[in-house]
Amino acid sequence: MKTSMKLSLAAAAVTLALAGCGTTSEKEGGGAPVESRESPSTGVTRVEAGGVQSGKLPAVLTDPNSILSKRSIYFDLDRYDVSEQYRGLINAHAKFLVENRQFKILIQGNTDERGSREYNLSLGQKRADAVKQMMVLLGVREDQIESVSLGEEKPKAEGHDEEAWAENRRADILYLGEF
Amino acid sequence: MPLKNMNLPNTRRFAPRLLLSLLLWGASLAQAQLSIQITGAGANQIPVAIADFGGDPGTSRSLTSVVRGDLERSGLFKLVDPHGAVLTETSPIDYPSWKSLGADALAAGSLGTSADGRMEARFRLYDVNRQTQLGGAAYLTGVPQLRAAGHRIADYIYEKLTGERGIFSTRIAYVVKSGSRYVLWIADSDGQNAHEALVSREPIISPAWSPDGSRLAYVSFENRKPIIIVHSLASGKRDVLANFKGSNSAPAWAPDGQRLAVVLTKDGSSQIYLINASGGAAQRLTSSAGIDTEPQFSPDGAYVYFTSNRGGSPQIYRVPSSGGNVERITFEGNYNVTPRPSPDGKSLAFIARHEGRFQLSIMDLASRQVQIISDSYKDESPSFAPNGRMIVMATEVGGRGVLSAVSADGRIKQRLSVTAGDVREPAWGPFSK
């Protein structure tokens, strides 16, 4: 697996693999944002990552009145079993993905900040996998879903209290174009 | 060597919170420079005097201040004020007067010019009580390498007086997060001479030194998911070691540097695999339905310690590195993670959760007795110094990430922090060649 290829190329390859088609627009910060690599001085403007837009998605995925706009599944401390209250949300996304096979999703698992970073990375993976497995059982194809973990590294809530921790024990569903 | 409580009026008193001066190498570097606070000391400190060395006074002072700083920071020595005495390695030693100052050992030396015209740091170490020479050495150096020469002299003195190898010439890797900027730093073990190895807008975690100290393996999120990179420090060359489907994390080098244990989720849950440092396929080592992570080789390479929740809660286990029966190591409590075998293989450092506090603990592997050795509550990522004396770890003070170094007996404590940003993910490098 060891290659010397530039990480930006690796990033592009991952993006294309996830896309399954060549239509991915250059997402902001999608390449390897490693500052130690100097940009060639050919008049290219440096772009800061962040604020990814999901303008191309159908309204049913983003309309606040649609259940498909709900993308987060929350978990208890140390746990990765999906609680009953998220069954409807997961069913709805699974149904959409079965009916729209060209759509692909990334499920990102997250944890609160407490404890081992590496254990939390695995815990976040378990959370993402739990959601993925439910969807696969509901007929979504494996190649429509990638589950990954961000562990405790990308907290949505920056606080250090129970409220923030609960917000960060979470798996998020992102449709292609949103990640 | 007897320890005397001297009451000399001019003896320099070392404040319990000693802040080593920062080298101001430009604003960004200064901001990221680690400063070290000593918050505890050894029970039996050896009183040692480092005389002012001969040669150019300014340069000599720089050299001796490195030696003194190293020895003092170790917590094992009490520095005796030489009262401005300049002694070279050839000066006659007035043993009785050093004895009256309370010194058990004395070092003297000079910065001179070697036969080929280079700067040379020479010194001798004396046993004041026995009135004998303990040894001496000469190191070729130069102004830019003066700190390195000082660390080598301190290592020599440390080893002669304690019987164990010094770690002043070793390096520490750590990550500083400032806003959304992540920097992997490499610094000398005293926090000085820090260099940026990698700057990224995405998290960097789990740096692990190759046994020869030339490369670091780490986990980078720069591809929007965790992948494992092997980074050659001198050249800056970076190779992707593992970028399989799912998450790739927790790299740990085998003692021979030929293989790494890694955690992959390509076949489902987080499991431990072995992979050649030069690439190739990943060979699965553990098999459970739950989480297996944080692999770490025993120093003899025979076992891989790891964290698993196969028993219902995260606990520490070990498996022969050639595969085989898994043995559970921790039983107390319901959260024991991040196993780190000591360099002599006799004990195991790990993080235990007690009533919501995450604390550095040490198990004696023969008796399986566990001792909590920190008084902080958010301890993470412990890493042994190569001589096993100290453990550096990440913890939190006042809501900010800092590094804390604690002796394996819990007595000596140092805190390493930067003025701007959270410091985390320390990894103590191997002995320098």
Side-chain angles (χ1 to χ4, degrees), chain B residues 230-241:
Chain B
V230 170
H231 184 138
S232 297
L233 291 173
S235 66
K237 184 169 177 287
R238 305 171 74 221
D239 294 315
V240 176
L241 180 77

Side-chain angles (χ1 to χ4, degrees), chain B residues 4 19-20 34 64 104 124 152-153 250 322 342 388 424 428:
Chain B
K4 277 183 257 173
L19 269 165
L20 292 183
L34 285 174
T64 50
D104 283 352
R124 279 188 217 281
R152 294 187 66 184
I153 293 171
S322 52
S342 62
R424 65 232 338 237
W428 209 313

Side-chain angles (χ1 to χ4, degrees), chain A residues 1-4 7 11 29 33-35 48 78 80 115-119 121-122 125-126 146 149 153-154, chain B residues 199 201-202 206 222 225 238-240 244 246-247 249-250 269-270 277 280 289 291 294 309 335 353 380 425:
Chain A
M1 274 312 288
K2 182 167 160 176
T3 69
S4 294
L7 289 167
V34 177
E35 292 182 359
E48 297 285 329
D78 291 349
Y80 44 84
S116 155
R117 287 181 190 278
E118 281 287 354
Y119 189 77
L121 196 57
S122 293
Q125 184 71 38
K126 274 289 194 189
E146 183 171 19
S149 179
E153 306 305 326
K154 307 283 274 186
Chain B
V199 180
R201 296 219 157 264
E202 297 295 337
S206 306
E222 63 198 77
K225 66 176 226 175
R238 305 171 74 221
D239 294 315
V240 176
F244 294 94
S247 300
S249 68
S269 181
S270 296
I291 292 168
E294 301 188 305
N309 70 344
Y335 194 96
R353 183 175 69 194
E380 287 180 12
E425 298 295 274

Side-chain angles (χ1 to χ4, degrees), chain A residues 18-114:
Chain A
L18 288 169
C21 56
T23 59
T24 31
S25 55
E26 175 62 359
K27 61 195 186 344
E28 293 173 79
V34 177
E35 292 182 359
S36 59
R37 293 189 183 285
E38 296 294 327
S39 311
S41 54
T42 50
V44 176
T45 307
R46 188 163 171 276
V47 176
E48 297 285 329
V52 177
Q53 300 301 309
S54 53
K56 282 186 189 168
L57 293 181
V60 68
L61 291 175
T62 53
D63 179 354
N65 295 318
S66 163
I67 189 170
L68 295 176
S69 71
K70 308 278 186 293
R71 308 294 190 79
S72 295
I73 295 103
Y74 293 88
F75 294 84
D76 290 337
L77 178 65
D78 291 349
R79 303 300 297 249
Y80 44 84
D81 48 319
V82 177
S83 107
E84 195 58 40
Q85 60 181 301
Y86 299 105
R87 213 155 281 268
L89 185 160
I90 290 169
N91 281 339
H93 284 284
K95 185 164 180 286
F96 178 84
L97 287 164
V98 166
E99 289 169 359
N100 300 276
R101 292 292 189 188
Q102 75 277 23
F103 279 82
K104 292 175 189 297
I105 59 166
L106 179 68
I107 306 173
Q108 292 175 328
N110 297 274
T111 71
D112 70 37
E113 63 179 347
R114 295 171 294 172

